[in-house]
Amino acid sequence: PEDVSLCEQALDRFIDGLIAADGDQDAIAARVQEVADSLNERNARCGGALIDPWRGERLRDFISGGSELAGLYLENAPVFEQKMW
């Protein structure tokens, strides 16, 4: 439960960061990297069992959608090649 809560907090920080980025593509890209790193770390601590493939796809859609709404399109973004979920 704590790991799920920490993932939720990371996603909340991601959304807050997108709002604060105010369209700055470098800032948006940094927030995407941060949330991916945070989720990777949390998933690794759980032996890869926290984020299954179905949830991983939903997370990717959430992160991509948020970044696109903020002004940055992530088609084939390297950050998703580094994901561990």
Side-chain angles (χ1 to χ4, degrees):
E2 178 185 353
D3 293 311
V4 172
S5 178
L6 291 171
C7 288
E8 180 182 2
Q9 291 172 16
L11 293 170
D12 287 344
R13 283 191 308 273
F14 170 66
I15 295 300
D16 291 343
L18 292 180
I19 293 166
D22 196 29
D24 179 330
Q25 292 196 354
D26 290 336
I28 297 166
R31 300 302 75 81
V32 169
Q33 187 66 56
E34 286 172 5
V35 74
D37 290 347
S38 178
L39 294 171
N40 282 343
E41 179 182 334
R42 182 62 40 202
N43 196 44
R45 287 184 183 179
C46 294
L50 181 64
I51 303 171
D52 62 28
W54 183 85
R55 285 176 180 79
E57 285 302 312
R58 300 305 151 308
L59 285 168
R60 180 182 174 158
D61 291 346
F62 180 82
I63 294 166
S64 292
S67 68
E68 288 176 13
L69 286 172
L72 179 67
Y73 294 88
L74 295 175
E75 270 186 48
N76 303 316
V79 69
F80 290 126
E81 294 171 13
Q82 301 167 7
K83 71 178 178 58
M84 298 184 325
W85 30 269

